[in-house]
Amino acid sequence: MEKTSQPKKTDFESTLSQLESIVSRLESGDLPLEDALSEFEKGIKLAQQGQQRLQKAEQRVQILLEKSAVAPLSDYDE
């Protein structure tokens, strides 16, 4: 059975790597204006995706910390 081509969700590290690559290309100054604008737009989208992932991760950490703060501690029985 063939897999349908769905947009692949990238992880935070991949997003960051792509963003760093775009920044490097933009800083080189070798891109024509239209290409530079296109890369800049991609970079903005990637930065927003990364920010969203960080916010979700922060929310998850907060939820876990809140749960552990109210959970009673007990000895572990093997």
Side-chain angles (χ1 to χ4, degrees):
M1 182 181 255
E2 282 188 38
K3 293 182 180 179
T4 59
S5 61
Q6 295 177 342
K8 182 183 175 188
K9 280 196 167 185
T10 55
D11 60 5
F12 179 77
E13 289 77 11
S14 176
T15 300
L16 187 58
S17 176
Q18 291 175 34
L19 189 55
E20 289 172 342
S21 176
I22 288 172
V23 169
S24 178
R25 286 194 300 273
L26 288 172
E27 286 180 339
S28 74
D30 295 333
L31 293 175
L33 179 60
E34 289 302 317
D35 292 344
L37 285 172
S38 177
E39 289 295 299
F40 182 76
E41 287 177 16
K42 289 178 192 176
I44 293 297
K45 289 177 185 176
L46 287 169
Q48 290 170 341
Q49 290 174 0
Q51 184 64 33
Q52 289 173 351
R53 286 190 179 98
L54 285 174
Q55 288 173 343
K56 287 181 182 179
E58 185 178 1
Q59 289 171 349
R60 289 175 61 190
V61 168
Q62 287 297 327
I63 289 168
L64 291 170
L65 289 175
E66 287 173 10
K67 284 183 179 180
S68 68
V70 296
L73 296 177
S74 60
D75 291 333
Y76 176 73
D77 295 323
E78 291 184 37

